[in-house]
Amino acid sequence: MSPAPRKLGSDTVYPVGLGCMNLHHGYGPPTDEADAAALLHEALDLGYNFLDTATIYGFGRNETLIGKTLKARQGEFLQASKCVLLFDGKKRMIDARPDSIKTACEASLKRLQRETIDLYYMHRPDPKVPIEDSMGAMADLVKEGKIRMVGLSEMGEGLLRRAHAVHPVSAMQSEYSLLTRNPEIAVLDACRELGVTFVPFSPVGRGYLADNPPAPADYHEADMRRIFPRWTEPYWTQNQALLKQAQAIAGDLGCTMSQLAIAWTLAKDAACVPIPGTTSRQHLKDNFLAADLSLSSDVMAALDTLFQPEAVKGPRYSPAAQASVDTEQFAFELS
């Protein structure tokens, strides 16, 4: 029996979506275009029906790839993209001014070869622009038929409530995994209260929650984990004891470590839709099948206890990266 679909705004989707960033951005050089196109087609063939991209991924190339590759299959999936985190040449910038959001949307529609984007997120908060002004532009895009649903990314409870008061927010995307449990502070509860679907990115802990995660010495020079403290030494090694115990649990259940990690997010919030990313066809299938894995209350309690926030060593972001988001932090992270 297939797992029940989960609500996302006015739609329903398979419980596990596909994050497409990895194909162009984040963990190394871009994937060969033919291989990336084949992976996207295989994702739809497997039954993925929620794909997530953003303007900044590959500086527009990720959207272009999806638009070109899946133009004839657009009716098979819900397409999400993001604005505000933009590029000027190859320089990243944050710009949530209303006119900039509308201009970015037009560019994304062209790259995606769509008349409407199903779910359009503000990728980051812009401290220079009131969220109410930015949401006004997003509401205008809905009225114009350019987007169907509005989302936020890497924002906390306060901004979510302010944004939702201007126009309904359909989804909140933020990092959530056994390693990163900050959404449990406030935003998860706020999403449940407001009827907002929570979309965890990096549910496999940026590749750490795997059977054989790469060591920091093996990261490609373009791998962004090089600047994320938790994925570098000494923290990478300090967290190995947690990983080995979780791998043992996965072994007892007969699943991969990544499947266990995704299944944990699915069980923690019965309405969430995690979006693991991958460039591997085998991992694509493994991640999809994680929705079939049912974890007992004993296993959930063991994982919750093992990965208590205080037990995980190292911050998830550098100070500069943390300053660019509005996600809540635990008291021990602020001390």
Side-chain angles (χ1 to χ4, degrees):
M1 181 182 295
S2 299
R6 296 192 170 193
K7 190 174 184 295
L8 181 53
S10 57
D11 294 355
T12 58
V13 295
Y14 187 79
V16 178
L18 176 64
C20 298
M21 180 188 78
N22 305 38
L23 298 176
H24 284 96
H25 177 92
Y27 301 110
T31 305
D32 173 80
E33 185 165 328
D35 290 341
L39 184 140
L40 290 173
H41 278 296
E42 182 163 345
L44 297 193
D45 292 343
L46 283 168
Y48 282 95
N49 59 4
F50 178 36
L51 272 56
D52 180 273
T53 184
T55 293
I56 197 67
Y57 299 162
F59 299 101
R61 295 195 304 277
N62 199 254
E63 289 180 319
T64 298
L65 170 73
I66 293 171
K68 179 172 67 173
T69 302
L70 301 179
K71 181 174 176 57
R73 304 184 69 176
Q74 289 180 0
E76 298 178 37
F77 65 99
L78 187 152
Q79 179 68 68
S81 193
K82 310 180 195 73
C83 60
V84 175
L85 188 55
L86 307 170
F87 58 92
D88 180 7
K90 289 196 174 183
K91 180 182 178 183
R92 288 162 54 108
M93 55 189 289
I94 292 177
D95 187 350
R97 292 175 296 175
D99 287 348
S100 296
I101 286 175
K102 293 181 179 181
T103 298
C105 182
E106 294 290 349
S108 287
L109 285 166
K110 184 176 181 180
R111 287 190 290 264
L112 289 166
Q113 300 189 44
R114 284 179 169 260
E115 294 183 0
T116 304
I117 298 172
D118 296 303
L119 173 61
Y120 201 46
Y121 293 95
M122 289 180 59
H123 205 160
R124 290 289 188 275
D126 185 344
K128 304 182 298 299
V129 181
I131 190 78
E132 291 80 3
D133 292 354
S134 302
M135 282 298 292
M138 300 290 268
D140 287 345
L141 290 171
V142 173
K143 291 175 186 175
E144 294 164 10
K146 303 292 179 63
I147 67 176
R148 292 179 50 234
M149 295 179 282
V150 176
L152 303 177
S153 177
E154 288 284 74
M155 300 190 201
E157 176 190 12
L159 286 182
L160 170 59
R161 291 188 183 280
R162 287 170 56 190
H164 196 72
V166 175
H167 184 279
V169 175
S170 293
M172 169 65 80
Q173 182 175 145
S174 199
E175 185 172 3
Y176 186 47
S177 72
L178 286 164
L179 286 180
T180 301
R181 297 177 62 177
N182 299 69
E184 295 175 14
I185 299 171
V187 80
L188 260 177
D189 284 339
C191 284
R192 294 180 186 122
E193 175 192 334
L194 299 172
V196 176
T197 300
F198 186 72
V199 178
F201 75 77
S202 296
V204 185
R206 301 186 186 275
Y208 189 85
L209 299 168
D211 292 330
N212 296 290
D218 298 326
Y219 294 161
H220 186 273
E221 62 182 10
D223 194 318
M224 64 184 178
R225 288 173 293 188
R226 286 176 170 269
I227 63 169
F228 290 166
R230 189 172 292 165
W231 287 267
T232 58
E233 297 293 5
Y235 305 119
W236 191 89
T237 295
Q238 290 175 359
N239 289 319
Q240 279 287 296
L242 302 179
L243 177 60
K244 290 186 184 305
Q245 292 179 72
Q247 288 171 333
I249 294 173
D252 290 341
L253 294 173
C255 66
T256 68
M257 181 61 227
S258 62
Q259 287 176 325
L260 178 66
I262 295 167
W264 177 88
T265 67
L266 290 166
K268 287 295 288 185
D269 179 7
C272 80
V273 182
I275 50 167
T278 186
T279 59
S280 161
R281 307 274 283 275
Q282 183 59 52
H283 292 167
L284 182 76
K285 184 175 182 180
D286 290 345
N287 294 347
F288 184 81
L289 294 176
D292 292 327
L293 184 60
S294 179
L295 302 183
S296 70
S297 58
D298 287 345
V299 168
M300 290 297 293
L303 291 170
D304 284 349
T305 300
L306 179 62
F307 286 91
Q308 294 179 65
E310 297 89 341
V312 178
K313 306 302 180 185
R316 75 173 180 121
Y317 276 153
S318 66
Q322 184 61 48
S324 73
V325 301
D326 181 59
T327 50
E328 288 88 1
Q329 290 181 277
F330 291 101
F332 72 88
E333 295 178 294
L334 298 170
S335 61

